[in-house]
Amino acid sequence: MPQNGNITDEHVEILVNDVLEQHGYDFTGYSRASLKRRLARLYTLDKHVSFAEFRYKTLNDNVYFKHFVEGVTVNVTEMFRDPAFYRLLRTKILPSLNTYPFIRIWLAGCSTGEEAYSIAIILKELNLLHKSLIYATDINPTVLEKAASGMFPLSQMKSYSENYIASGGEKEFSSYYTANYSLAKFDTALKAKMIFSTHNLVSDRSFNEFQLILCRNVLIYFDRSLQFSVLQLFDQSLESLGYLALGTKETIDFSPISPVYERVGTDKIWRKKSI
Amino acid sequence: MKKTGALIIGGSAGSLDVLLKVLPQINRHLDFPIIIVIHRKQGTDSLLTDLLTHRTNLKVKEADEKEAIRDGYIYIAPSDYHLLVEKNFTFSLDYSEKVNYSRPSIDVTFQSASDVYGPRVVCLLLSGSNADGVNGLIFAKRNGGITLAQDPSSAQVAYMPEQAILKANVSEVLKIEEMANYINSLSTNN
């Protein structure tokens, strides 16, 4: 069954409007093609019989609305995804932060936490974890609960271990977790240096100053003007000489903040110039 | 009035050879874009773009997110992202769940392009070993678009075009040597 068939463009706008007015979540700056697909997918998965029912539940049922936010936002992630990126973090970016007495990292759009644990593992191996703090935020409280549990499917560990090695990891990856039935529970020393909190990039403000901000594969879901305003939020939250890391297909080029940033090599990491 | 909004070509195993044969014969002044979604390994993006660039006079590039889609260009869906078309004729990328075990998924791009171009979309499904793209063809046809499948007897792996013919009631079945002419004829300034 083709997915887009049951949700029209008008339906999308009605829901965007409802959700903003009723729940205060602003999806108006989200790219419509992707949003429409997510809504159609949710509609099908939840077996709604009519748009009216979908709309009613979204408006009035707060438990359902939580599920709605989780379904509409994309929460696909993995540990050490794009190993070349993590290799650069390990060999260049994170070691250069060693001069700071205290390292603050913001992981925006952390989803279920796989990236946060990946970064914590590298920090630990670089002997920087003890003086670091990772602020992991997401719009979606449900995924943050999962992230905070520090447990990931055991079935993924083989592929994560391969990513880890490809990114320059040299330890036994399995030394970081204990198997617990079908789950891998990660070392609580890693979690001790993480703070999980909801943060909506659309409507919430800067809450601290960081030396490194990572926001990977989040901006692709936003339209240009929302992308620009989020990049400005990052700029306000980044110390001079701090780093901003985006997803493989994302860029700060053509944005208002690009003049004060310098690309680090060929990867999607930029360094803020000193002012 | 332009006849064609966009041509979307999807394929998997055995489809690259078809592209290498067909693209050199494509008229360089097409008045529509060609968008290619090919299943492949991660991290081989620039390789594929380079490979195709040397076989055609048209400009070949990987689709960037929010990029304006231009006539006469050949765009390639980047590996490991779904490629979507927005109503303002720009691209969006999406890193959501795989569809038919695939990302990029041909179904996703066929549907999204059909949603935007409606009856002016042309979707062509080539050789491959799974059925990704078939639902997209059904959707495109229902929206009035033209749907095409490679003649399975000419396909290295016949399953994908066979499924298209079986389930999607495609508008036409094309042999490899017929494709270039067909594509050129979709252009008004042919």
Side-chain angles (χ1 to χ4, degrees):
Chain A
M1 179 67 195
Q3 274 191 341
N4 280 359
N6 37 33
I7 293 288
T8 67
D9 296 335
E10 291 71 37
H11 291 155
V12 174
E13 300 313 317
I14 289 168
L15 287 171
V16 165
N17 209 18
D18 281 358
V19 162
L20 178 60
E21 285 190 359
Q22 185 74 16
H23 300 284
Y25 279 75
D26 186 356
F27 288 101
T28 53
Y30 278 56
S31 287
R32 286 302 188 265
S34 186
L35 187 57
K36 186 175 178 184
R37 242 194 103 231
R38 300 304 291 173
L39 290 169
R41 177 177 172 275
L42 198 60
Y43 183 95
T44 307
L45 282 179
D46 294 345
K47 300 186 171 65
H48 290 295
V49 295
S50 67
F51 175 71
E53 180 195 294
F54 186 23
R55 184 182 180 191
Y56 184 86
K57 283 196 86 170
T58 303
L59 265 174
N60 299 304
D61 181 340
N62 285 336
V63 175
Y64 184 77
F65 181 68
K66 244 178 121 176
H67 166 78
F68 175 93
V69 173
E70 192 180 4
V72 165
T73 53
V74 172
N75 290 298
V76 177
T77 178
E78 50 183 84
M79 292 186 79
F80 296 98
R81 165 173 161 193
D82 305 326
F85 170 80
Y86 282 96
R87 183 179 284 275
L88 182 64
L89 279 189
R90 177 190 290 277
T91 57
K92 192 164 176 184
I93 307 299
L94 294 173
S96 81
L97 300 180
N98 191 18
T99 50
Y100 292 93
F102 192 70
I103 302 169
R104 280 186 306 272
I105 297 171
W106 181 14
L107 183 55
C110 70
S111 187
T112 39
E114 283 82 343
E115 287 184 299
Y117 287 86
S118 306
I119 294 162
I121 286 171
I122 298 178
L123 286 168
K124 185 161 188 226
E125 293 182 5
L126 294 173
N127 203 20
L128 296 172
L129 187 62
H130 65 280
K131 62 169 182 173
S132 302
L133 206 47
I134 301 170
Y135 293 75
T137 65
D138 202 278
I139 180 180
N140 177 355
T142 318
V143 293
L144 289 171
E145 285 163 25
K146 290 181 191 164
S149 77
M151 291 192 281
F152 303 110
L154 199 56
S155 55
Q156 297 293 326
M157 290 306 129
K158 184 169 174 290
S159 117
Y160 291 174
S161 168
E162 287 164 5
N163 284 354
Y164 165 77
I165 291 162
S167 75
E170 290 171 348
K171 296 243 164 93
E172 199 62 55
F173 187 64
S174 58
S175 67
Y176 289 108
Y177 61 83
T178 48
N180 195 345
Y181 298 99
S182 64
L183 293 171
K185 181 159 180 37
F186 275 74
D187 188 348
T188 48
L190 301 172
K191 197 175 88 175
K193 294 297 179 178
M194 299 175 194
I195 294 174
F196 294 99
S197 165
T198 55
H199 183 278
N200 188 338
L201 291 169
V202 182
S203 50
D204 293 338
R205 295 186 183 204
S206 174
F207 58 95
N208 212 329
E209 278 219 321
F210 301 92
Q211 285 97 32
L212 169 63
I213 298 176
L214 302 102
C215 182
R216 309 187 69 228
N217 294 305
V218 176
L219 295 181
I220 49 173
Y221 302 110
F222 298 165
D223 66 24
R224 267 279 182 263
S225 77
L226 180 54
Q227 285 180 351
F228 289 174
S229 75
V230 173
L231 287 172
Q232 278 169 325
L233 169 68
F234 291 154
D235 184 51
Q236 290 156 15
S237 311
L238 201 58
E239 281 185 6
S240 187
L241 298 176
Y243 296 95
L244 174 61
L246 302 180
T248 317
K249 301 298 173 193
E250 294 163 333
T251 183
I252 69 165
D253 294 348
F254 318 114
S255 82
I257 72 162
S258 72
V260 285
Y261 284 78
E262 246 165 11
R263 183 100 175 251
V264 180
T266 55
D267 288 88
K268 293 304 178 77
I269 299 184
W270 287 264
R271 187 172 206 190
K272 191 172 181 174
K273 296 175 187 168
S274 67
I275 303 155
Chain B
M1 176 65 186
K2 278 169 51 169
K3 289 190 283 190
T4 307
L7 167 67
I8 324 297
I9 303 177
S12 189
S15 61
L16 183 58
D17 281 354
V18 181
L19 292 174
L20 294 177
K21 281 183 189 141
V22 173
L23 292 184
Q25 305 171 57
I26 302 296
N27 188 334
R28 61 184 299 189
H29 299 296
L30 286 188
D31 67 353
F32 57 84
I34 298 179
I35 300 166
I36 296 176
V37 184
I38 297 288
H39 297 161
R40 61 192 186 282
K41 276 207 188 93
Q42 248 178 283
T44 51
D45 283 340
S46 55
L47 220 70
L48 183 61
T49 309
D50 287 349
L51 192 63
L52 297 182
T53 298
H54 292 293
R55 298 293 185 115
T56 171
N57 292 319
L58 283 80
K59 174 94 175 139
V60 180
K61 75 179 296 296
E62 192 182 294
D64 280 323
E65 67 108 20
K66 303 301 172 319
E67 175 178 16
I69 302 172
R70 296 166 68 170
D71 293 342
Y73 273 57
I74 298 176
Y75 295 99
I76 300 171
S79 65
D80 215 25
Y81 288 84
H82 296 305
L83 180 66
L84 304 166
V85 180
E86 297 287 342
K87 290 267 140 80
N88 62 358
F89 306 107
T90 59
F91 287 117
S92 277
L93 297 177
D94 177 321
Y95 189 80
S96 57
E97 298 79 359
K98 291 182 180 182
V99 175
N100 307 313
Y101 308 100
S102 308
R103 192 173 48 224
S105 150
I106 303 165
D107 270 343
V108 168
T109 308
F110 276 0
Q111 286 178 26
S112 169
S114 161
D115 216 16
V116 169
Y117 294 104
R120 295 192 307 120
V121 81
V122 181
C123 297
L124 166 61
L125 195 58
L126 302 176
S127 168
S129 57
N130 73 5
D132 185 28
V134 173
N135 280 334
L137 289 177
I138 295 170
F139 186 85
K141 180 130 199 202
R142 202 198 291 152
N143 277 344
I146 297 173
T147 54
L148 309 166
Q150 178 178 356
D151 183 343
S153 69
S154 76
Q156 277 181 31
V157 186
Y159 185 78
M160 191 179 263
E162 269 172 7
Q163 289 297 303
I165 292 163
L166 204 64
K167 295 185 176 144
N169 185 27
V170 291
S171 319
E172 286 202 57
V173 176
L174 298 176
K175 293 187 169 41
I176 297 172
E177 54 273 20
E178 296 169 333
M179 287 178 189
N181 269 341
Y182 190 98
I183 293 169
N184 287 331
S185 75
L186 294 170
S187 184
T188 1
N189 52 17
N190 169 34

